[in-house]
Amino acid sequence: MESKKKIFAIIAPGSGHINPVLCLIAELIKQQNVNVIFYSDESFRGQIINIGATFRAYSHPTYLIREKNIAENKISLGGFLSEHIDIAYNVLPQLLKDIETETPDLILYDSYFTMSKYLLEIIKNRQAAGTWNRKVPKSVMFVPNFPPCEKMVE
């Protein structure tokens, strides 16, 4: 019997990022022999578990507070970008360790989540330098937006 393929879903923990990918991951879990480990904030734990994925919290849980501060104009766009760098700085060690330990077959990542792009670059650079002695997982970028639907546009 073939072992399950392991997918890491590294998606920005915001409803506009999580909701579009939940259906895709639910279908993968239903139709394929896969185990999905879905990284997010605690606020999305229930939705992630309900589709059959394994929930794993980011080690830096303040992303949603910062997103709320942007919406309420309590932080500038520059401050928001600075916060993304801070989140990446704090979360990347966790993700790199998990990838080294668990060797996923695929990383599904959010095109708008800067940290996921940093992660893939670090792995590529380590492989080029000869310091990454594990299989490099394949990666697929997910663009979390809803295209206009003819029924919605009247």
Side-chain angles (χ1 to χ4, degrees):
M1 185 168 129
E2 185 180 331
S3 64
K4 285 187 170 189
K5 300 288 183 187
K6 188 179 297 184
I7 299 173
F8 277 14
I10 302 173
I11 309 297
S15 58
H17 299 265
I18 299 285
N19 290 338
V21 78
L22 284 174
C23 292
L24 171 67
I25 290 176
E27 285 301 313
L28 284 171
I29 291 168
K30 277 195 298 190
Q31 297 178 12
Q32 304 293 325
N33 192 19
V34 299
N35 177 26
V36 177
I37 297 171
F38 199 121
Y39 289 84
S40 189
D41 276 344
E42 286 293 333
S43 57
F44 294 100
R45 177 188 288 269
Q47 289 173 275
I48 291 166
I49 291 171
N50 284 344
I51 63 165
T54 301
F55 170 81
R56 190 168 293 163
Y58 286 120
S59 59
H60 196 284
T62 58
Y63 183 84
L64 289 177
I65 294 166
R66 291 172 178 155
E67 193 172 73
K68 183 177 182 280
N69 286 341
I70 285 274
E72 295 174 359
N73 292 319
K74 293 180 183 174
I75 189 171
S76 68
L77 180 58
F80 180 72
L81 295 174
S82 177
E83 296 292 347
H84 268 262
I85 292 168
D86 180 57
I87 291 167
Y89 179 81
N90 286 287
V91 175
L92 283 172
Q94 169 202 9
L95 292 173
L96 284 165
K97 181 179 179 231
D98 289 353
I99 291 168
E100 289 173 344
T101 304
E102 299 180 47
T103 59
D105 299 289
L106 177 72
I107 296 174
L108 176 66
Y109 69 98
D110 185 336
S111 65
Y112 297 110
F113 202 25
T114 310
M115 180 188 65
S116 57
K117 294 174 185 178
Y118 292 159
L119 175 69
L120 296 170
E121 282 301 311
I122 290 169
I123 292 170
K124 288 177 190 173
N125 290 339
R126 287 184 179 181
Q127 181 189 33
T131 59
W132 187 268
N133 58 2
R134 290 154 187 82
K135 178 182 87 173
V136 175
K138 294 179 181 178
S139 61
V140 173
M141 179 177 66
F142 181 80
V143 181
N145 60 14
F146 295 102
C149 175
E150 290 172 5
K151 291 181 181 178
M152 296 170 67
V153 180
E154 294 182 11

